[in-house]
Amino acid sequence: MKCLVVIASLAATAAPLFAQAPAVPATITPPDTTRHRTVEFTGLVLVNGFFNSARVNNSDVPQLADTDAVGIGGAGGSIRQTRLGVFVSDPDVLGGSFNGELDVDFFGGQQPSSGGRTFPLLRVRRAVGSVVWPNVTLLFGQESPLVAERSPRSLASIGFPDFAASGNLWLWLPQARVTGQIGTSLRVALQGAILAPTTATVQSAFLTQPDSAERTKRPSLEGRLRLGWGPSDDPSEIAVGGHLAWVKGTDSTSGDTILTSKAITVDARFKFGVVELIAEAFSGQALAGLGGGGIGQNLGVAGEPVRTKGGWAQLNIRPMHDVMFGGGCGMDDPNDADVLANGKLRNFACEGHVEWRPPGPVVFGFEFRRIQTRYASGDFNVNHLNFAAGYHF
C-alpha cells in the first residue's frame, strides 16, 4: 500500500514537469546519410596484338607511314595502353557538387631493358576537378583542349587517340575553364578556357626548360559555343570554337618575333537510336601544340607558321548492347608552300573497328587502319591490324 502511494506521488510530480518541457521544433530533420563523399577505383587491363605492313613512326600505336616504309614491317604485342582511374565525388562543395578524376596509363615510354616493351612507364593522361552549380561549371586540371575535346572510339589507339596527326587535335593540357549553360530540352552553353602554352617540344628525361610558346609568357586562350539536345547523359551536340596562342620565332630572323597560333574549330555528335556520328574539323596555323596539328609542324619556311586544315569523322553502330562496329577517316593537310623540304605534306588515315563486350568484365576488339603519309618524295602507305583483349575492374 505504501508502494502505491509513492508511485502515485511521483506521477503527480512528474506530470507538470513533462507539461512544461518544450516541444521538438518541426524544422529538425534526421541527417541525410545519402549525401557524402565517394571514392571509386577503376581500370582497364588491355593487351594489344598488332601487325604493320611497313615501317611507321610508332609500332604499337602508329600515326605516320615512314619514308623508309617499303618492305619494313613487323608484329608484336603490348600492354602499354592499360589504364587506371580514380573518381571522387562530393555533393556539397562551394554550394555545388564536385567531381574529380585521375586517369593514368602506361604509355609514358619505357625503360631500356632486355624485356623490350615490358618495362613501360606510368603517364598522367587526364587529371581534372569540376564544381557544378545549376547553370555554371568550373573545371581545372589537365584535359583535352576545349575546342577539340572529342576523340574517336577505339581499343587499338588509346595511348594516342585515333587520327592523331591526321585531323585530331587532342593533347591533354593544364587548364582552367568556365561553362555557362541555359535551357533544358534545348541547351545553349558558352565556354571559355585558359590553357598552359606549349609547342609539345620534347623535354629531357627529368629537368625541363621553357619551349618557344612558354617563352612568350602568355597563356593560350580558347572559347566555344555549344548547342545540345536530347538526354543530358547521352546528348546530341554541335559547337564552334576558337583557339589563340603565341610562339617565339626559331631562326635568326624571327627569333625575337612573337608569332600567332590560331584556329577555328567545329565539332559535333549526333545520336540516332543505335547510330552515333562524331566529328571535328579545324582550320588554322602553328597547331603542333594541340596534339600534332599540321602533322606536328609548327613553323616552316622562313620560320613562318605552318597553315593547315583538317578533321575527322567516325560512325558507330550498336545493334546490340554488347556489340559495336563502325569506322571513320581523318586528314591533316598543311599548306605545301609553308612546309620545309623534308617535311610532311599530308597525312590521311581510315579505320574500321568492331568491339564485343559480353556480360561481365571482359572486352574484345579488332581494328584495321590504313595510313597514307605524303612527303616531297611521294606517298607512303601502311596497313595496321590490331587485336585487343582486356577486362574492366
Side-chain angles (χ1 to χ4, degrees), residues 242-320:
H243 163 82
L244 182 62
W246 297 269
V247 296
K248 280 285 187 84
T250 57
D251 64 14
S252 58
T253 61
S254 63
D256 294 327
T257 303
I258 295 180
L259 306 172
T260 302
S261 166
K262 59 185 178 182
I264 298 296
T265 67
V266 179
D267 67 273
R269 178 183 189 260
F270 300 110
K271 187 70 183 295
F272 309 99
V274 300
V275 178
E276 174 195 55
L277 175 64
I278 46 179
E280 288 183 341
F282 65 87
S283 177
Q285 63 181 34
L287 299 177
L290 294 185
I295 323 178
Q297 300 163 124
N298 232 20
L299 305 180
V301 175
E304 291 297 313
V306 173
R307 293 166 291 176
T308 188
K309 57 184 179 298
W312 61 270
Q314 186 185 62
L315 182 70
N316 296 299
I317 303 173
R318 194 182 296 274
M320 297 180 290

Side-chain angles (χ1 to χ4, degrees), residues 102-125:
L102 174 63
D103 177 15
V104 302
D105 62 16
F106 293 87
F107 212 75
Q110 53 278 319
Q111 288 285 0
S113 73
S114 59
R117 291 188 192 83
T118 59
F119 204 151
L121 299 178
L122 195 67
R123 174 186 70 163
V124 176
R125 296 162 54 92

Side-chain angles (χ1 to χ4, degrees), residues 107-306:
F107 212 75
Q110 53 278 319
Q111 288 285 0
S113 73
S114 59
R117 291 188 192 83
T118 59
F119 204 151
L121 299 178
L122 195 67
R123 174 186 70 163
V124 176
R125 296 162 54 92
R126 301 167 52 255
V128 296
S130 60
V131 183
V132 182
W133 295 278
N135 296 306
V136 177
T137 299
L138 170 66
L139 180 145
F140 52 89
Q142 181 165 291
E143 180 59 288
S144 299
L146 172 63
V147 297
E149 60 182 3
R150 303 187 189 279
S151 277
R153 299 188 185 277
S154 176
L155 288 174
S157 195
I158 294 175
F160 295 118
D162 246 347
F163 308 134
S166 55
N168 186 6
L169 307 178
W170 63 274
L171 184 62
W172 305 296
L173 296 170
Q175 61 186 273
R177 68 170 72 163
V178 176
T179 299
Q181 178 174 293
I182 58 173
T184 52
S185 58
L186 188 64
R187 300 175 293 275
V188 179
L190 183 62
Q191 301 177 281
I194 300 175
L195 299 87
T198 184
T199 58
T201 302
V202 176
Q203 293 280 358
S204 66
F206 184 72
L207 302 176
T208 66
Q209 294 296 322
D211 63 23
S212 59
E214 293 171 322
R215 289 200 300 273
T216 67
K217 303 175 184 178
R218 303 179 184 184
S220 301
L221 305 175
E222 293 185 347
R224 183 168 176 254
L225 179 64
R226 184 186 71 205
L227 177 67
W229 62 95
S232 59
D233 59 347
D234 191 21
S236 292
E237 296 179 337
I238 186 168
V240 294
H243 163 82
L244 182 62
W246 297 269
V247 296
K248 280 285 187 84
T250 57
D251 64 14
S252 58
T253 61
S254 63
D256 294 327
T257 303
I258 295 180
L259 306 172
T260 302
S261 166
K262 59 185 178 182
I264 298 296
T265 67
V266 179
D267 67 273
R269 178 183 189 260
F270 300 110
K271 187 70 183 295
F272 309 99
V274 300
V275 178
E276 174 195 55
L277 175 64
I278 46 179
E280 288 183 341
F282 65 87
S283 177
Q285 63 181 34
L287 299 177
L290 294 185
I295 323 178
Q297 300 163 124
N298 232 20
L299 305 180
V301 175
E304 291 297 313
V306 173

